[in-house]
Amino acid sequence: MPKPDTLVSAPPALSRRRFTATLTASALGLGLAPGLVRAQAFPSRPLRVLVGFSAGSPSDLLARGLAEKLSTAFGQTAVVDNRPGAGGLLAVRTLLQAPPDGHTLLVVSAAHAATPVITRNLGFDPVKDLAGITRIANVPSILVVNPALGTATLADLLARLRAAPGTMNFSSPGQGSANHFAAEYFLAEAKASATHVPYRGVPEAVGAVVAGECQFSFVPAPNALSLIASGKLLALAACTGERATQLPDVPTIAQAGVPGYRFDPWFGVLTHGGVAPQVRQQLVEASVRGLAAPDLRARFEPIGAQISALPGERFDAYIQEEIAKFRYIAAMANIQAS
């Protein structure tokens, strides 16, 4: 009768290939499914974490923090691979072209749920072709203006918007971005209007307000905090249901004049929909454990990110709810698919 440890380490005379085959056969003899044997070997190489936006974006910052935790959990390097382009679609398509073995992951923002609403002939099903690992965090966006505009409060901004409909501009990091939807939803609920000016990304959209090219914008907290502190931007309100932890004196939009308004930008991690359930579950458990680590929470806090894990199938259901929400906002604000 062999000792227990001989079942998990190959004898010197037994080749690795023969040992693996023997282990698989033994597992099958014990009634274990082949998929379980494969899952036990995961991961067999470094993990790749795709990000559809440039380095320094909120998606990128969150991806790098989570990647470190996955690397520790699995004993494999987790490499962040930035694939900006087409509003994040380039990264999604890169994931779908990769082998469905769990070694390729994708960090997305709330705009992922807007994509099927604003894009015709998407080419994939965001629900069936992708599988949720977990929501990572909520990162509030802040409604900001250039201080030279002379609007000290949200009430001031609303008064000017209503007095001269369509004459003010707001910037966003692109048509159909979460920031764009947040602004259109705000205008619809406030019964006001302004002209949307899309830019290539968050830095460009923020820069447009700093330069006075646009009068206001919804900016992710990580990109706004230092500019607010330096006086280059003025924060009027947070778009979320609760005040941003880094800006406790700044009211929410609902508190400041648009009752009922709430828009909670979120970020999460997905994988290929064809990944084996056992492998997906390993990724879910490792990700949720990593997000619970106090050091990661401390790392995310300065950028205003509030960790809000939502694992596996619950995250899938949440994304479906978000798609429905974006359809509602698109209909309300007359945002057309292209």
Side-chain angles (χ1 to χ4, degrees):
M1 181 75 181
K3 296 180 180 179
D5 59 359
T6 62
L7 295 177
V8 295
S9 59
L14 189 61
S15 72
R16 179 175 295 181
R17 180 178 296 178
R18 288 178 56 204
F19 174 63
T20 301
T22 301
L23 178 61
T24 302
S26 299
L28 293 174
L30 292 172
L32 300 179
L36 182 57
V37 177
R38 288 194 297 272
Q40 289 173 336
F42 177 83
S44 60
R45 63 180 187 277
L47 299 176
R48 182 186 183 195
V49 184
L50 296 164
V51 178
F53 301 92
S54 58
S57 64
S59 300
D60 176 71
L61 296 172
L62 296 173
R64 292 182 187 279
L66 181 60
E68 290 181 10
K69 292 302 180 184
L70 292 177
S71 178
T72 299
F74 289 119
Q76 287 278 5
T77 303
V79 179
V80 174
D81 183 359
N82 296 91
R83 292 296 181 98
L89 282 178
L90 178 60
V92 177
R93 289 173 177 141
T94 301
L95 169 65
L96 293 176
Q97 291 167 1
D101 56 14
H103 289 85
T104 306
L105 306 173
L106 170 68
V107 170
V108 297
S109 71
H112 174 73
T115 300
V117 177
I118 64 164
T119 306
R120 295 193 182 99
N121 304 317
L122 192 57
F124 65 89
D125 188 319
V127 176
K128 295 180 181 178
D129 295 336
L130 299 165
I133 299 302
T134 184
R135 185 174 61 191
I136 298 172
N138 291 99
V139 180
S141 283
I142 311 300
L143 173 51
V144 298
V145 297
N146 187 306
L149 187 62
T151 54
T153 66
L154 184 65
D156 293 340
L157 178 63
L158 288 172
R160 292 187 60 172
L161 287 169
R162 290 164 178 161
T167 60
M168 297 180 73
N169 298 332
F170 71 92
S171 64
S172 85
Q175 175 77 11
S177 63
N179 311 71
H180 175 210
F181 269 84
E184 295 284 13
Y185 184 32
F186 160 71
L187 291 168
E189 287 289 308
K191 295 179 174 55
S193 65
T195 301
H196 176 221
V197 183
Y199 287 80
R200 292 182 59 186
V202 172
E204 293 85 356
V206 176
V209 180
V210 173
E213 297 170 6
C214 292
Q215 284 68 56
F216 68 96
S217 186
F218 282 72
V219 179
N223 302 91
L225 293 174
S226 64
L227 293 169
I228 293 169
S230 67
K232 293 181 180 179
L233 291 176
L234 177 64
L236 298 186
C239 73
T240 43
E242 299 178 356
R243 297 189 181 204
T245 56
Q246 300 302 310
L247 297 168
D249 295 330
V250 176
T252 67
I253 289 176
Q255 292 170 338
V258 187
Y261 178 93
R262 177 172 183 166
F263 191 95
D264 291 309
W266 53 267
F267 295 82
V269 59
L270 312 169
T271 192
H272 196 295
V275 169
Q278 302 95 332
V279 171
R280 180 188 180 187
Q281 187 59 30
Q282 288 185 69
L283 288 165
V284 169
E285 292 174 359
S287 298
V288 171
R289 281 198 306 270
L291 292 175
D295 64 312
L296 195 61
R297 290 180 178 271
R299 177 174 173 176
F300 286 171
E301 184 176 348
I303 64 172
Q306 302 170 350
I307 290 177
S308 55
L310 192 65
E313 293 179 356
R314 290 172 60 193
F315 187 36
D316 290 336
Y318 178 76
I319 290 174
Q320 293 184 58
E321 293 171 2
E322 287 289 285
I323 292 173
K325 181 187 79 175
F326 279 111
R327 290 195 190 282
Y328 168 76
I329 295 173
M332 177 188 295
N334 195 31
I335 299 174
Q336 300 295 319
S338 61

